[in-house]
Amino acid sequence: MVNNLNYPTMILKNTFRLTILAASLLAFQSCEKKEDKPVDTDTQAASDNEQAEAISDDAMRKADAATKGQSSFKLSDSNGSYEQMMACATVTRDTSVANTTTVTIDFGTTNCTSADSRLRRGKIIYSFTGNYFAAGSVRTLRFDNYFVDDHKVEGDHTITFAGMDTLSGYYTWNIQANSMKITRPDGKSHTWSSTRKREMLTGAQTIFDFSDDSYQISGSANGTNVNGVAYSVTIDSPLKVAVSCRYIMGGVATLKATGISDRIIDFGDGTCDNTATVTIDKVSYVIPLH
């Protein structure tokens, strides 16, 4: 015969056991879900954006230097930096159209190695009207079968000289990069467009000597990486670039894409080195710069 006095106690014990079992199952499922979630380590979009930014800035610096110099690549100074940096290219100037100058930097049809160790071939074509340093003057930059380290570069830039910024005191350019496409040697490509503000930090006092020029860049960009992932980028702290260094030297940007965590890209403290740090979900990864 069952002792009815113990019946409530048995119910309580069984209920307690079921509660513990249910809690254990929930904890196990929760752990299992966490373990099943892959760790997000994809830095491809950050790397592709950096490559496009670097190639774009390099092309503009080459065009500026060619415009300031002579067709033989000699500047008014005597330090030889211009010849050393672009010795394997030929510069021509076309002024046949009234009030328009077109500067063509031709690296030839086969790769040549510049002092920055990059391989280049093809042409950068830079055109402007009127006075080169007149506020409001517009320049265009485009590429003709142009390659950097066997990466084909396509697209164009519209560059407007805004004169001296009244707040910063720096010479300023507004730059629109349109429909940039970079195709790798393996055939994969990524696209990039941007709206940026470029300010000259040093070099304004020696305007015909490009070797001491340095800039800061602010603004935004968007693109699609080689895996087809669309992204957008906002520059949070201005990027630092200089003629004396082939890499982006400083600044911070945030990269966003649908369905993934933000990527915080830190280019460093102004030191010329070939790495940047990408932080994803509070974990940092080092990527090489182009």
Side-chain angles (χ1 to χ4, degrees):
M1 182 175 179
V2 177
N3 187 346
N4 291 331
L5 294 176
N6 292 331
Y7 189 67
T9 303
M10 291 173 63
I11 292 175
L12 289 173
K13 286 182 177 180
N14 288 336
T15 301
F16 179 74
R17 290 191 186 102
L18 288 171
T19 301
I20 294 297
L21 178 60
S24 299
L25 286 171
L26 286 172
F28 176 78
Q29 289 174 351
S30 176
C31 291
E32 190 174 45
K33 286 180 181 178
K34 288 181 180 178
E35 290 175 357
D36 288 342
K37 183 180 178 180
V39 178
D40 186 356
T41 63
D42 187 1
T43 60
Q44 187 64 58
S47 180
D48 288 348
N49 173 74
E50 180 277 325
Q51 182 182 43
E53 180 77 53
I55 287 176
S56 173
D57 182 69
D58 177 73
M60 286 188 294
R61 285 187 285 171
K62 292 287 184 290
D64 281 343
T67 303
K68 294 176 188 178
Q70 306 298 320
S71 60
S72 61
F73 278 106
K74 292 181 179 178
L75 293 178
S76 55
D77 65 304
S78 59
N79 61 18
S81 297
Y82 197 3
E83 293 90 341
Q84 292 172 12
M85 194 150 190
M86 294 160 61
C88 58
T90 300
V91 171
T92 57
R93 292 167 176 267
D94 182 358
T95 57
S96 60
V97 178
N99 205 37
T100 300
T101 300
T102 299
V103 178
T104 301
I105 308 171
D106 188 351
F107 291 92
T109 57
T110 58
N111 282 333
C112 64
T113 305
S114 298
D116 60 4
S117 300
R118 286 184 171 128
L119 299 174
R120 294 182 176 86
R121 67 182 187 270
K123 300 174 183 178
I124 299 172
I125 301 172
Y126 198 40
S127 299
F128 58 94
T129 58
N131 188 330
Y132 184 75
F133 288 104
S137 66
V138 178
R139 315 165 197 183
T140 59
L141 185 151
R142 60 187 177 86
F143 306 98
D144 181 3
N145 210 32
Y146 180 61
F147 289 77
V148 180
D149 292 330
D150 293 320
H151 289 66
K152 186 175 184 179
V153 182
E154 300 173 85
D156 64 81
H157 293 61
T158 301
I159 305 159
T160 304
F161 182 49
M164 183 175 288
D165 188 288
T166 55
L167 295 177
S168 67
Y170 299 135
Y171 285 120
T172 303
W173 294 262
N174 296 317
I175 303 167
Q176 186 74 43
N178 306 300
S179 304
M180 293 284 290
K181 181 180 179 181
I182 299 173
T183 303
R184 306 191 315 194
D186 63 6
K188 292 184 177 181
S189 63
H190 56 97
T191 61
W192 187 77
S193 297
S194 70
T195 300
R196 292 169 293 160
K197 179 180 179 180
R198 186 177 185 230
E199 298 176 281
M200 177 179 274
L201 301 179
T202 61
Q205 303 306 315
T206 54
I207 205 68
F208 290 103
D209 174 7
F210 87 108
S211 62
D212 60 350
D213 292 0
S214 66
Y215 303 89
Q216 65 179 16
I217 298 169
S218 55
S220 60
N222 61 81
T224 303
N225 75 3
V226 294
N227 298 318
V229 176
Y231 64 86
S232 63
V233 176
T234 301
I235 298 174
D236 304 309
S237 176
L239 306 184
K240 300 296 192 300
V241 296
V243 168
S244 59
C245 180
R246 63 173 281 183
Y247 306 108
I248 299 173
M249 300 166 61
V252 178
T254 299
L255 185 149
K256 294 178 179 291
T258 302
I260 63 173
S261 300
D262 291 354
R263 274 79 169 127
I264 309 301
I265 311 167
D266 190 338
F267 290 96
D269 59 1
T271 303
C272 183
D273 61 57
N274 64 345
T275 60
T277 301
V278 179
T279 301
I280 308 170
D281 295 329
K282 298 182 179 181
V283 179
S284 296
Y285 307 89
V286 175
I287 63 170
L289 300 182
H290 295 87

